Structure formats: C-alpha cells, structure tokens
Amino acid sequence: MVLKNLTPCIQGDRRHTTDGVDHYSHQPPAHPSMHLLLIYRRACQSLMVIAEAIWLEREQAILNLNGCPEKYSFPAMITSHPNTTIAIKGHNKELNCTARGERPIIIRWEKEDTVIDPDRMFRYSVATKDNGEEVVSTLRIIPADRGDSGFFSCHAINSYGEDRGLIQLTVQEPPDAPELEIREVKARSMNLRWTQRFDGNSLILGFDIEYKNKSDPWDLKQSTRNINPTINQANIVDLHPASVYSIRIYSFNKIGRSESSKELTVSTEEAAPDGPPMDVILEPVTSQSIRVTWKAPRKELQNGVIRGYQIGYRENGPGSNGQYSIVEMKATGDSEVYTLDNLKKFAQYGVVVQAFNRAGTGPSSSEINATTLEDVPSQPPDNMKAVSISSDAVTIIWSPPPRSTLNGVLKGFRVIYWSVHQDGDWGEMQNITTMDSRVELRGLEKFTNYSVQVLAFTQAGDGVRSLVIYAQTKEDILEPKTTFSPTHNLV
C-alpha cells in the first residue's frame, strides 16, 4: 500500500458506537482476526491508524481520529483475488479482482511488466462494476493461449493510495508432439527413441505409436498404445523384411493428445526367403538331360530381391548316395528355366529348387522326380557261343548286357548272321529277333562257315553289336547208292 501526502497525527483511539459517544483506548483490539490498516487523511494532512477487525458476521473499524476532522477517507485496497488459477488453451478465461476504498477507484491490469490495453490487445477485455460496497474488475481472455501463462496483476488506485494483487495463471493444453528418431532397424524389428518437449503444463500420461506400410492409408495402421510415460524408447517387432514403413508417435496428458510427430519412413532389412519356388516342372529332353521350369516364390515371402536359385538334383536309383549335386543360376524374372545335362541315361532323378536373396537361401521346393529318356544299350551281349547241331542248323547262346548299360527297357535281342564262302564272298545278311538269350539258326547251307553277331535293343533302337563269332554247319551224311543189273530171259 502506498501512502500519499500525510503527516503523523496519532494521539489515541476512538471507537464509534451506536450511542454516538466516542470511546478512546490506547490498547489495540486483541481479536486474532484483526489486522492494522494504514489510512490517510488528506483533509487534515495527518496519518490515522485504523485497526479493522474482520469478523465472519460483521465488520467494525477502530479509527484513530484525535485532532482530525470527523470526515475521513480510505485508500484503495485489493480485498479479493486468486493467487493461482488454471486456464485451458482455446477456452475463455476470466480473472476477477475486488477492491475497496474511497471512490473513484481505478483498476488497472498488467501482464508481467506490460499494461493491458484492450484497445490494442484484442484478446483481452476488462469489465469493472461498482456494487456499492466494492469494485469488481474482470479481465477476460478470449481465448487463453500458451503465451498467457505467467503473472497477471490487478492494481487498485484512488486519490489516497494504491494496492496490487498478483495472480499466477497457468494455461494447460495438449503436449507438443514428441521428437522421434530411429536407432536401429533389422529385418523384422526396429528400435525407436523419442524426446518429449513441452508437456502442455500438465503431466504426460503416456505415448501412442502408430505404424503402417508406406503404401497403405493410415486407416490400416497398427498401434502400440499407452506406453508408460517414464519410458522414452520402444522396440517394434513382427515387421516384414524388406518393407517400407511409415511411423509416428503421439503423447497425451489429461487435457488431450498431441499432434503426431514428424512421420518417419523406415525400410527394414532383407531376410532369407520364407517360401519356396512354385510350380516346379521337370521335362526329360534327351537320355541325358532334363529341363526344369519354375516360378518365383510368392511375393510376400520373398523378403527381399531374389538374386538367384540353387537347383539340387540326385539320382534315385540303386547305388545312389542320396546326396544332391547343386547348380546355381541368376534370377532373370518371375519364370525361370534350367536344363540339367550329363545325366545318366534312362535314370530317375529327384530335383529341388531354392531361391536366395542377399540375406540367405530360402526353403526348397518339394522333391519331384523325372526319368531321362531311353537310349540304345551301350554294351553288347556277352559270353557268346556257337554250337553246330546239324548240317543246316546252329545254336547261338549269349549273356545279356549289364542292366545298367541297357539305357532303357530291353525289348529283345537281334541275331545277325551271314555265310562266308571259301572264295571270300559273303552270302546275304539275315537277322532274327528273340526275347531269349539263345536262338537256333535253321535252314543254313551245309558245311558252311557263318559269321554271327548279337545286339540288344530298346524302344530307342539297336544297341552295340557284339564281336563276330564264327559257326560252321556240319558235313552232310551221304546216302547209299542202289545198282541195278539187267535181267535177261533165255528162250
């Protein structure tokens, strides 16, 4: 309280009572609710001490008036105002200040050290009302903003003094968006960290993380909700390898949710394919080659860019060791073809295919089998013998070629023979087929040499001929001759 133009004039205390008699006392009232107020008396230029007892039901004034005129005046005094108060950003807020004292009373509002002028500061308006006992001034903020947080003061001023009331205003709002950063990215997970800046003048209650495939709308997002406010990092798991994600984070307090953080774009690392190649088909091309065709794994199982393929093949026949031989080729597109060469003839092979990318090799396709085409036998019959049984017949005996050299399904044997005369001429070449491993050649020339070869044949054709063996028919047995003598009849 500021005192203006006064000189002391204190000699005693006078209490005004209802009987009109002035009662003086030099002892101040002892009630605990009483406090002393300094009052100025401008008319007599003297200081009066007023002890004002404030009771719950009534109010009495103890006045120091000795030697002064009966008419006295009160300086302006702030009697009511909030010490602290809260506003919500975007909502209107009223600050009230009540003053008493000699009229007229002027109430001025300040923000920090700046006088509030509603004519220039359009979000502020001031309304003052004198209800007889007190003057009530209302500062209205339309609407409250973050910059309004701080100290407001109301100043009550009249001709006899000035008083001030200090009000601390806190404007609460949803927090500012956290600042998000990516710390580590793997094939199926990522590690995030964030920093919360302005909390909106209200305790942070938690965080929400949202993420989605970059090409999807946010309606298809996945969320991690209500992360503990004491935590500032998190792992996002179960992501898809080699995918591009958009990710953002929110914080929230009791007022509301923040705006989203800056949206970050993250690409996960590749992982080995999760699916095998599809539609694997084997097609025998020759007796020693098989064509393999297939399609790439399903797109969502590739987990990266398919760089190539491994084709494993093994012979499934008797004596096979069961180990795959591996060949590798680069990827060329969605459909691939590879021809396996230098295989065994008429042999069954099992084939599997695996795709690989930069991160590794995926699962193999199911093994499927194919058999190379038939070929002609690669070895001739063995252990050939020729037995002459008559002058016009010879028996030829042999052993079949080894099964592994047949190169197909044995359809029979072909015996090729021709006569060789003493003058070196060959007779007509003839052949006969049989399923047995022996044959009798009949109708031959008597006591004649014959050259004989035998071969095995399959559906693919005749195999290798055996070496020539020689057979000779037996000599013929001469039949006895009958001699007839002439008979003469004598007369």
Side-chain angles (χ1 to χ4, degrees), residues 42 87 118 140 192 208 243 246 258 291 348 358-359 371 402 464:
R42 189 176 183 182
R140 194 176 189 196
L192 313 175
D208 295 335
S243 298
S246 296
S258 72
R291 181 183 295 117
Q348 187 185 77
R358 196 185 303 276
T371 301
V464 179

Side-chain angles (χ1 to χ4, degrees), residues 17 32 42 63 103 119 135 185 229 243 245 283 336 342 363 393 478:
T17 61
R42 189 176 183 182
L63 306 176
R103 307 298 195 274
D119 292 334
V135 176
V185 179
S243 298
Y245 287 91
E283 180 186 0
E336 305 288 355
N342 299 318
L478 297 176

